[in-house]
Amino acid sequence: MNVLITGASGLVGSAVVQQAILDTRVNHIFILALDSLDSYLAGHSKITILNYDDINVPKLDGHPWPLAGVEACIWSQDILCHYPKTDRTGVASMYSPLCLLKFLAFRLLPKLPATKTLRFVFVSGEPAKLDLRNHLRRTHSSAYLLRQAEMRLFQIADMNDKLRIVIPRPRGIIPNKAGRFKATVLSKVLGYMDVDHLAQALISLALGGSQQRTVNAEELMNM
């Protein structure tokens, strides 16, 4: 399967890319990059790095559209639940996955075979489970923004039979550089998840590892 990944320069996205390279079920990785990536990724035979112009501008030279054949997208950037406050940049970022999904629905889905679907994995967070009614006056809160994004992604998917939305909600993420003691405390006491373990779970979800729309922290830990 060919997979599109966003946020490859971030904590989760970089781990997803590394795990996708190792996963034999992933044939090719397309990275939608806003920032420059290291030379290892740029030169890897399994990776194609694209910017927004590469996928948005019509090809006039006879070359095929680069994302033709992609069957999964993992959105792993701007995971707002890990920050105590969000500003207007955060508000705008929640519309980015919506815009990308609409774009893929318009450009990619008509190119997929009739038996294929596009799985869009949006990495959210456990705060998104909270009741929206408790956040009506806090429209810049992380939980509110994530939940709004989830709802709108579901609305888009409900209008197209070839779209599948999967939303994992990790409770927290442990970076690789965390020491053993700190990682153990975060995992056992707070239920946080090692970033490489999360990356493996995200790839499994992208490849069809769950039929649920939302995957909670406990389910992710057991994947």
Side-chain angles (χ1 to χ4, degrees):
M1 179 182 285
N2 296 338
V3 178
L4 173 65
I5 299 172
T6 72
S9 60
L11 172 65
V12 176
S14 59
V16 171
V17 171
Q18 295 294 340
Q19 294 300 323
I21 290 173
L22 299 174
D23 197 315
T24 57
R25 298 171 297 175
V26 178
N27 298 324
H28 198 76
I29 305 160
F30 294 92
I31 296 177
L32 190 56
L34 296 177
D35 303 314
S36 60
L37 303 175
D38 62 44
S39 57
Y40 169 74
L41 295 181
H44 200 284
S45 60
K46 198 174 179 178
I47 291 176
T48 299
I49 299 175
L50 304 169
N51 58 41
Y52 283 92
D53 287 340
D54 292 328
I55 66 172
N56 197 31
V57 176
K59 298 295 181 182
L60 301 178
D61 53 7
H63 289 85
W65 188 54
L67 295 183
V70 166
E71 296 178 41
C73 175
I74 300 176
W75 180 278
S76 58
Q77 69 188 57
D78 294 328
I79 307 178
L80 298 180
C81 64
H82 300 288
Y83 299 89
K85 296 180 180 179
T86 51
D87 54 17
R88 291 188 179 182
T89 303
V91 175
S93 73
M94 283 296 90
Y95 290 92
S96 299
L98 305 177
C99 292
L100 178 60
L101 182 60
K102 289 179 180 179
F103 177 80
L104 293 175
F106 175 72
R107 290 291 305 274
L108 177 60
L109 293 188
K111 300 178 184 297
L112 286 178
T115 57
K116 299 292 185 179
T117 60
L118 173 66
R119 293 179 67 85
F120 192 94
V121 180
F122 173 70
V123 185
S124 183
E126 193 169 66
K129 295 193 303 184
L130 300 177
D131 193 334
L132 277 181
R133 291 172 295 181
N134 296 329
H135 295 271
L136 292 179
R137 294 187 179 181
R138 299 174 58 207
T139 57
H140 288 189
S141 74
S142 299
Y144 183 88
L145 292 171
L146 287 170
R147 187 63 178 138
Q148 284 285 351
E150 290 184 7
M151 292 174 61
R152 294 182 184 185
L153 289 170
F154 288 145
Q155 289 172 357
I156 296 171
D158 288 340
M159 295 186 291
N160 198 309
D161 292 337
K162 299 185 75 173
L163 272 179
R164 300 290 184 270
I165 302 296
V166 183
I167 297 182
R169 292 171 173 166
R171 183 168 297 139
I173 301 167
I174 305 171
N176 287 327
K177 63 182 180 181
R180 180 177 298 179
F181 176 76
K182 182 178 180 180
T184 301
V185 171
L186 290 174
S187 175
K188 300 297 184 181
V189 178
L190 299 180
Y192 282 24
M193 194 171 184
D194 176 80
V195 67
D196 288 333
H197 185 182
L198 174 61
Q200 294 168 1
L202 295 178
I203 293 171
S204 294
L205 292 175
L207 298 177
S210 175
Q211 299 305 312
Q212 300 179 80
R213 278 191 154 187
T214 58
V215 183
N216 63 35
E218 289 75 17
E219 293 167 322
L220 285 172
M221 291 287 285
N222 291 326
M223 292 185 67

